Amino acid sequence: MILDIDTVSKTFEMHIIDGKTVPGLADVSFTVDDGEFVAVVGESGSGKSSLLKCIYRTYEPSAGAIRFQTEGGEVDLANCSDREVLAVRGSELGYASQFLNEIPRVPAVDVVARPMWEQGMDREAARERARELLTALDLPAELFDAYPATFSGGERQRVNFARAIAPQPRLLLLDEPTSALDPETRASALELLDDYLPASTTVVGVFHNYDVVQQVADRVVVLDDARLQQVVDIADYDPEVLA
Amino acid sequence: MTVLDVANLTKIYGDACGECVDNTGPSVGDNQCPVCGSVVACADVDFQLHDGEVLGIVGESGSGKSSLAEMLALDLDATAGDARYHAYDGNMLSADYQARHELQNQHVGMVHQHVQDGLELSFSGGGNVAEKLLAAGWRHYGDIRDRVESLFRETEVPVSRMDDATETYSGGMQRRIQIAKAIANDPGLVVLDEPTTGLDVSVQARVLDMFRGLQREQDVATIVVSHDLDVIRLLADRTLVMRHGRVIETGLTDRIMEDPHHEYTQTLINSVI
Ligand SMILES: Nc1ncnc2c1ncn2[C@@H]1O[C@H](COP(=O)(O)OP(=O)(O)OP(=O)(O)O)[C@@H](O)[C@H]1O
Ligand SMILES: Nc1ncnc2c1ncn2[C@@H]1O[C@H](COP(=O)(O)OP(=O)(O)O)[C@@H](O)[C@H]1O
Ligand SMILES: [Mg+2]
Ligand SMILES: [Mg+2]
Ligand SMILES: [Zn+2]
């Protein structure tokens, strides 16, 4: 087991609307095995992005534990220090957010290369790798040196996806990484996951498309209204019954 | 390794009455003491900075960011507090004249909010940078010239402009010269106060990107002060949010941006989006 999500809750307290509280996640528990591909599904607003953000600690869980077996031992991502989170992110944990929060005026190739050179790779080698990944994702070469802020949704999504997989993290979180892609580009992206990432990579990914889930997932986590509804093997997953 | 460990850092402008800190802050909604009229620019600030880390300090105008930055760069006397720097024995805030200059010349690089506080604009750009090397004991003309040239390259300022007066440089170039000067003696700590104010958006991004590249390569612990959330987002690993002279929230930068806890932080983030 690489990840143990243990009764995790996240409640948002919105001071600017009279302290209203919004449940993002409530008592969610499941585990993920080494090398497994877990798909997270559920209706809009069911808590899928909140779950991924809690694992990455972009959201601070309100309760529970998220035990990640890193190469250096167990780290509870829900409760460890900010510095421990940064160390884990820098080496073993990757995340592609649902919406690319692009840095203004950094060319696409550098957006993708940056996590690699921050981990010590030579800058030019990192750029070369970035170009290879963007090429594999069918991004037109003339966009490599342009700013993602001017890109279409699907082009941005490919940059975001390439950036997350580039450093080959042991645990990869993907939030609807292919939602804005046409079927052909989506196929390239899924193929790249297979070809580029070592087989030992563990992935927790949010997907909307049943065919994609069918193609990539070993197990499916179904969320409903901030709660875990079910965890099933892909063979037993029937979206008609469960959704 | 902890590069800097700051505890209870406080700056009060004026003749403090003893109650100033209790009488001010976010709960009161002001930084001015109603009893004696002193301004509590910042009070009780605590944080630790490790090597290679970038700490952001964000807050509205007047929240105390520059006062904090200048105390850490030893350009402003602290009213109270303790700051331990790894290569200095004791509280660096109470360093004597000579020790303070040594710290400023060799260990702490500062990029000031106001260009004129950091650069002698009538001197050449090269001269401004060379001055910092001279202060650290560099003597050989050829070595100094070589070092200044390499700093110009690192900060992406045309070497051909080295001998021109700094006042003839563009705003972006002046900012780069300040950065060149701040990193000239391989400091262990760099403090940037509003590194992009007054620059065009496109120039801002390039200056920040240049700095971030240097910062990562040299692994230098950095404090970046800005009221601009984009600057903080781009540079900082962790962030302190200040209001009325107090730190009201601390956390990972992306957590502060996407899951702000404090009421004021929520307002700050939402007013931008
Ligand atoms: N020399 C001074 N004498 C008196 N009060 C001062 C002095 N310098 C700053 N202050 C006051 O201290 C408070 C904090 O000022 P500071 O310059 O640290 O703010 P800041 O957060 O850097 O603001 P900005 O974003 O506008 O640069 C303000 O109320 C300011 O008016
Ligand atoms: N940063 C936030 N602040 C307040 N509420 C949030 C925040 N993020 C998510 N939520 C709320 O949490 C719930 C789950 O949202 P989310 O995880 O984005 O759902 P999904 O990804 O499944 O569409 C929703 O009610 C959403 O409005
Ligand atoms: Mg979502
Ligand atoms: Mg200021
Ligand atoms: Zn007072």
Side-chain angles (χ1 to χ4, degrees), chain A residues 74-134:
Chain A
E74 181 176 290
V75 173
D76 177 356
L77 291 166
N79 299 293
C80 69
S81 71
D82 291 339
R83 247 182 225 111
E84 284 175 280
V85 174
L86 289 170
V88 170
R89 285 182 185 179
S91 57
E92 302 188 45
L93 181 61
Y95 167 53
S97 58
Q98 187 170 1
F99 307 102
L100 172 64
N101 223 336
E102 87 279 334
I103 300 150
R105 303 202 194 232
V106 177
V109 63
D110 283 359
V111 170
V112 177
R114 181 173 308 229
M116 292 184 282
W117 55 259
E118 284 185 356
Q119 287 184 26
M121 193 189 252
D122 170 76
R123 277 214 199 198
E124 270 321 305
R127 287 205 177 99
E128 194 45 48
R129 170 92 66 91
R131 284 188 205 100
E132 283 164 24
L133 289 170
L134 292 171

Side-chain angles (χ1 to χ4, degrees), chain B residues 62 64-67 113-114 193-194 225:
Chain B
K65 308 180 297 296
S66 292
S67 301
Q113 178 168 9
H114 305 289
D193 190 0
E194 305 281 1
V225 166

